[in-house]
Amino acid sequence: MNIHEYQAKEILAAYGIPVPRGRVALTSDQVERCAKELGGHCVVKAQIYAGGRGKGGGVKVVHHPEQAQELGKELFGKRLVTPQTGPEGLKVRRILVEEAVEIAREFYLSITLDRATSRYCMIACAEGGVEIEEVARRTPEKIHLLNIDPATGLRPYQARKVALKLGLAGSICEDCVLLMLNLYRLCLEKDCFLVEINPLVTTRAGWLLAMDAKITFDDNAIFRHHDYPDMLDYSQLGTLEINAGKYDLSYIKLDGNIGCMVNGAGLAMATLDVLKEYGGEPANFLDVGGGATREKVAEAFKIILEDSDARGVFVNIFGGIMRCDVIAQGIIEAAGEMNCTLPIVVRMDGSQVEEGKRLLAESGLNVQSADNLGDGAARIVAMLKE
Amino acid sequence: MSILLNKDSRVVVQGITGRSGLFHTQQCREYGTQIVAGVTPGKGGIHIEGIPVFNTVEEAVRYTSANVSMIFVPPPGAADAILEACDAGLELAVCITEGIPVRDMVLARMIQEKSSTRLVGPNCPGVITPGVCKVGIMPGYIHTPGRIGVVSRSGTLTYEAVKQLTDVGLGQSTGVGIGGDPIIGMNFIDVLRMFNEDPETDGVFMIGEIGGGAEEEAAAWIKEYMNKPVAAFIAGVTAPPGKRMGHAGAIITGGKGRAEDKIRALTDCGVAVSPSPTRMGATMLELMKGAANKA
C-alpha cells in the first residue's frame, strides 16, 4: 500500500527525521495561503501515487503567493502524466506547499527488503535525485548497500560507516547516523516494505533535510495498523481496482477486450501470455487468489463485467484449494445479476470439476467449457470474432 | 528415493482445527500421507478425525515422533509456528499460510536458517512425492509417480505444468512449490541441488515468473553444477510494466526481473525454455527424448 509524500513526511517527522516546513492544500486558495505563510518563495508539489513528478511538471518553485495560486489552479484541474503513471496520468487532489531550501548537497537513502538475503537492506548514495537508477546502472560502486542483521538491528557504528562514505563529517555525520537509526526503527515499527528519502539533502545552513519521501507499507501487515486504510487516497486508484481491493482480489486494468478471471498470479500471467499467443487481447489481470469463496468469485466476475471494454470473458481455474462447483456457482450468480450476455469460456480443472461443468451447462448462459488452457484461449478468441 | 518426503514421513499439522487446515488434513490423509498429530494451542487433548491434537509441536513430536510439519496457522501467528517447528527439531516444515508480514518472516528466516529444519514456503502449495506422500494443498490426482522433479515459485501454474507432464507420460519424483513470497525458505537452487543428487530423478521442470532475480541465480547454478536436463517456463512475458513507487527494488536487483531477462539467462545456461504455457509438458518430453538419444 502506497501513501502520499506529505503523509510519509508526517511519519518521518514523528520519528525525529527533519523535513521542510510545509502544509497540505486541497484548493488553490489554500495553496495561496500556505505560500503566504511560508513567505512566498516556496515549492509546490502535486501529490500523486507515482514518481517522476518533476519531469511531468508536478513540482515547481514559485516566488509569490499569487504564482502559487495560479499553479494550484492549473494542477488541481489536470491529470498529471509522468514517466511512471502511464499515458492516462493521475488526478491531482492534494498539493503540498513547502518552504524553499538552499541545498548544498543531495543524497539518496532508503531501506527496503533484499529478497536475496531475506533481510532489510539500507541503500545510500552520495548522488541523490531523480537519476538514481541510472547512477546504479552506470556506476554501481557509488551505491552503498548495508544488509541489516535482524538480531542486532542497525548499529550506530554501521550507520556511521555509511554516513562517512557519503562524505559527511563532524556533527552533521552524527546527525545522519541518528537519522538512519530512526529510519530503521520507523521501517520496522510501521511495517514498511520501502522507505525512501530521495533526495536527502544538506542545506547551506548545515542541516539535514528529507526533501522527498516515499513509503510503501507491507499489505500483509495492515492487520496490526488500523490507521492505514484511512490513509489511502482512493482518488489515486481506478474504481475497478478499489472494488477489487475490497474483496482482496488482485486486479490490474489492461488495454484489451477479453476479461480474465484466474486463480493464482502465476497462472493468471500465463493465461494472459497464452491469450496473446492466440491473437487475443486481455482486458485485465485478475487473480481471485487461493481461498476464494463463492462471494469473492461472484464479485470478481462483476468487476470484469463492469469494465465496459470487456467483450467476452475467459475463466481459467485450476482448483487445488478451490472447488470447481463453487466457482461455477459464483459465475452463474454474478452473470445472472448483471444480465450478462457476453460469450464466456470456462476452463476448470480440479476437484468437483464435472459438477462445476454441469452447473454451467444448465445455467442458460452463453458459455462454453474448454478442456485445457490452449483450447480455452482458442475458443474465446474465436467466439469474439463471430 | 525422492526428495524431502517419503513413505516414512510422519506429519504434524499446525493449525489443524482451522477450516482449511482440517479440509487439507483430510485430503492429504486420503492421498496416503501419515498424519500423526495436530497442534492448536488451547485445544490439546482432543481428537479431530481420530488425530490427536496437542498444545505444542514439542509435545506432538514427543508422543507421535512426527518429523514433518504442515502449517496452516493464520498470518498473525504463522511466523511463530515456523519457529516452533524449528525449535522442535522437525526435519521439514511446509508453510502453506499466505499473507505473513515481511517483518515477521525476516526474523523467522534468520532463526530457521541456523536450525536443522528445512522450510518450504510460506505461501506455497506444498510438497508432494506422487503415490507416496502429499504435504500441501495441490490436487493429488494430476500427479503420477515418475522421474521428473518439479520446482516452482507459483501455485496453480504448477498444477498446470504437472498435469501437462502427466498427460505426455512423464511422471514426477517430487514436486516442490517453493512459494511466491519475498522471503521463503528453500529456493530454486536448494531444491535443484537435491534433485541433482536424487538417484530417482532424471530431469527437472522449473516454473518461474517475473520479478526478483531467483531464476537468474538458478540459471547460473545449473550451468555450473547441474548434470541432469532442465526445462523451464517463465510466466509474465506479456505482463505490462507495473506501476511502481521508489527506486530501491530496482537498485538491488540491478534492473533484473523481466521475463525476457530470465528466459535469456536460462537459455544461455542450457535450460530448455517452453515458449508457451501450453507446451510445458511437450518441452520437457522433447528434452528427455533428446537426453535419452544422446545416452
Side-chain angles (χ1 to χ4, degrees):
Chain A
M1 174 189 150
N2 292 319
I3 55 172
H4 283 304
E5 173 196 4
Y6 79 91
Q7 294 166 316
K9 282 178 166 169
E10 283 169 9
I11 296 174
L12 290 181
Y15 277 80
I17 295 171
V19 298
R21 280 190 303 143
R23 293 272 299 273
V24 180
L26 301 171
T27 65
S28 52
D29 287 345
Q30 286 178 3
V31 172
E32 187 203 13
R33 217 173 311 140
C34 296
K36 209 177 275 172
E37 280 172 21
L38 292 166
H41 181 207
C42 55
V43 187
V44 174
K45 308 179 85 175
Q47 301 291 291
I48 56 168
Y49 279 4
R53 292 172 300 168
K55 284 180 187 162
V59 177
K60 279 181 183 159
V61 178
V62 296
H63 298 279
H64 318 284
E66 299 74 37
Q67 203 187 346
Q69 186 180 28
E70 280 308 306
L71 185 55
K73 273 184 195 155
E74 187 192 315
L75 285 172
F76 275 130
K78 81 179 201 184
R79 299 183 75 93
L80 193 60
V81 178
T82 83
Q84 292 183 26
T85 57
E88 71 281 7
L90 282 167
K91 252 187 247 166
V92 181
R93 303 293 288 273
R94 304 173 201 196
I95 288 177
L96 176 63
V97 187
E98 279 187 343
E99 62 176 332
V101 174
E102 301 260 359
I103 294 170
R105 293 184 60 196
E106 296 193 341
F107 308 92
Y108 173 92
L109 182 68
S110 68
I111 297 176
T112 190
L113 182 78
D114 180 11
R115 288 162 176 256
T117 59
S118 303
R119 289 177 173 194
Y120 289 104
C121 176
M122 190 166 77
I123 307 170
C125 178
E127 289 179 29
V130 285
E131 305 294 348
I132 185 70
E133 280 179 49
E134 192 52 37
V135 173
R137 225 181 339 263
R138 239 186 15 247
T139 50
E141 69 279 2
K142 288 187 178 165
I143 305 283
H144 307 292
L145 298 176
L146 176 70
N147 261 294
I148 301 169
D149 186 326
T152 59
L154 178 63
R155 306 306 305 173
Y157 79 90
Q158 296 172 314
R160 190 170 298 115
K161 280 189 197 171
V162 176
L164 288 168
K165 279 183 193 160
L166 294 180
L168 296 171
S171 66
I172 204 162
C173 177
E174 289 310 302
D175 289 347
C176 189
V177 170
L178 193 61
L179 184 151
M180 287 169 173
L181 297 179
N182 284 332
L183 196 66
Y184 178 63
R185 193 162 56 86
L186 181 166
C187 178
L188 287 189
E189 289 179 3
K190 294 289 176 186
D191 275 302
C192 300
F193 205 82
L194 164 75
V195 38
E196 180 177 79
I197 304 176
N198 185 30
L200 171 70
V201 305
T202 53
T203 64
R204 293 258 169 87
W207 297 99
L208 278 168
L209 268 185
M211 294 302 288
D212 195 0
K214 295 185 180 76
I215 288 180
T216 306
F217 294 130
D218 177 1
D219 290 337
N220 289 341
I222 291 177
F223 68 82
R224 52 188 173 212
H225 299 278
H226 299 294
D227 52 331
Y228 286 1
D230 294 336
M231 295 175 79
L232 204 56
D233 178 359
Y234 287 101
S235 74
Q236 300 296 304
L237 308 171
T239 47
L240 296 176
E241 279 155 351
I242 293 169
N243 284 337
K246 259 189 233 160
Y247 289 89
D248 201 19
L249 307 163
S250 176
Y251 176 92
I252 299 168
K253 176 87 184 83
L254 300 173
D255 300 331
N257 57 6
I258 302 174
C260 297
M261 174 163 79
V262 188
N263 67 327
L267 189 61
M269 281 191 281
T271 303
L272 306 188
D273 294 346
V274 82
L275 273 176
K276 288 217 174 185
E277 186 188 330
Y278 281 78
E281 287 293 334
N284 65 277
F285 167 99
L286 198 166
D287 169 15
V288 291
T293 57
R294 174 172 159 168
E295 187 196 25
K296 219 163 151 179
V297 168
E299 285 307 319
F301 206 76
K302 278 185 214 162
I303 286 165
I304 290 173
L305 294 181
E306 271 165 24
D307 176 6
S308 53
D309 296 333
R311 292 278 165 274
V313 183
F314 183 28
V315 179
N316 182 21
I317 300 290
F318 210 122
I321 201 164
M322 298 180 80
R323 287 169 37 182
C324 295
D325 53 341
V326 174
I327 304 296
Q329 283 163 354
I331 293 168
I332 293 165
E333 196 179 295
E337 236 175 85
M338 306 277 294
N339 298 318
C340 171
T341 53
L342 296 181
I344 304 167
V345 171
V346 180
R347 181 281 172 115
M348 293 190 295
D349 220 316
S351 61
Q352 278 83 23
V353 61
E354 290 310 319
E355 176 66 8
K357 279 186 181 171
R358 189 185 61 80
L359 288 172
L360 284 174
E362 293 170 3
S363 67
L365 295 169
N366 182 11
V367 61
Q368 290 186 13
S369 282
D371 292 329
N372 58 50
L373 186 51
D375 178 40
R379 279 176 193 266
I380 189 70
V381 171
M383 281 172 93
L384 275 164
K385 279 196 182 132
E386 277 166 16
Chain B
M1 284 295 292
S2 44
I3 69 166
L4 297 170
L5 295 177
N6 57 44
K7 64 180 176 32
D8 299 321
S9 300
R10 295 171 63 80
V11 180
V12 51
V13 182
Q14 291 176 258
I16 193 169
T17 51
R19 198 175 55 91
S20 58
L22 185 58
F23 175 75
H24 288 290
T25 297
Q26 291 162 329
Q27 297 279 315
C28 289
R29 192 157 65 166
E30 274 171 36
Y31 194 77
T33 308
Q34 293 185 65
I35 309 270
V36 297
V39 170
T40 299
K43 294 200 175 165
I46 65 166
H47 283 72
I48 189 160
E49 301 282 313
I51 301 162
V53 178
F54 299 88
N55 285 316
T56 67
V57 179
E58 188 186 18
E59 278 181 314
V61 171
R62 194 184 320 139
Y63 290 105
T64 68
S65 304
N67 62 350
V68 172
S69 166
M70 174 161 74
I71 300 173
F72 282 97
V73 175
D80 197 52
I82 292 171
L83 290 175
E84 191 181 356
C86 298
D87 192 51
L90 298 177
E91 288 166 28
L92 173 69
V94 179
C95 186
I96 309 298
T97 309
E98 178 182 356
I100 306 178
V102 163
R103 187 180 84 191
D104 300 3
M105 274 311 296
V106 168
L107 272 176
R109 175 75 175 137
M110 174 190 75
I111 308 285
Q112 176 268 328
E113 255 179 320
K114 292 175 186 153
S115 77
S116 59
T117 305
R118 285 198 167 99
L119 172 67
V120 172
N123 190 13
C124 76
V127 183
I128 183 168
T129 292
V132 177
C133 185
K134 166 175 120 123
V135 175
I137 59 176
M138 66 289 275
Y141 77 95
I142 55 173
H143 297 80
T144 315
R147 303 185 63 87
I148 300 295
V150 177
V151 58
S152 171
R153 253 174 92 180
S154 167
T156 47
L157 181 57
T158 317
Y159 310 162
E160 178 70 41
V162 167
K163 184 169 190 297
Q164 289 183 22
L165 290 174
T166 292
D167 286 349
V168 299
L170 291 171
Q172 305 90 41
S173 54
T174 301
V176 185
I178 59 174
D181 272 10
I183 298 183
I184 54 172
M186 296 185 76
N187 60 24
F188 279 124
I189 295 173
D190 298 326
V191 178
L192 286 166
R193 184 183 290 124
M194 292 186 86
F195 279 135
N196 207 23
E197 289 163 5
D198 175 29
E200 292 190 353
T201 297
D202 292 341
V204 177
F205 195 81
M206 175 178 149
I207 299 135
E209 50 187 62
I210 51 172
E215 290 82 0
E216 286 88 339
E217 286 161 27
W221 188 89
I222 288 167
K223 189 177 182 182
E224 188 86 9
Y225 301 105
M226 196 76 186
N227 51 35
K228 295 175 183 179
V230 180
F233 176 71
I234 303 293
V237 178
T238 61
K243 300 169 187 170
R244 65 202 187 94
M245 267 182 111
H247 305 277
I251 292 173
I252 290 187
T253 59
K256 283 182 289 189
R258 293 177 307 166
E260 57 201 270
D261 299 331
K262 291 175 187 295
I263 290 168
R264 192 179 319 114
L266 288 163
T267 309
D268 287 351
C269 293
V271 175
V273 180
S274 171
S276 157
T278 61
R279 292 191 46 79
M280 295 188 283
T283 303
M284 190 80 227
L285 186 63
E286 282 159 25
L287 183 66
M288 294 315 289
K289 277 186 183 158
N293 289 342
K294 249 188 254 170

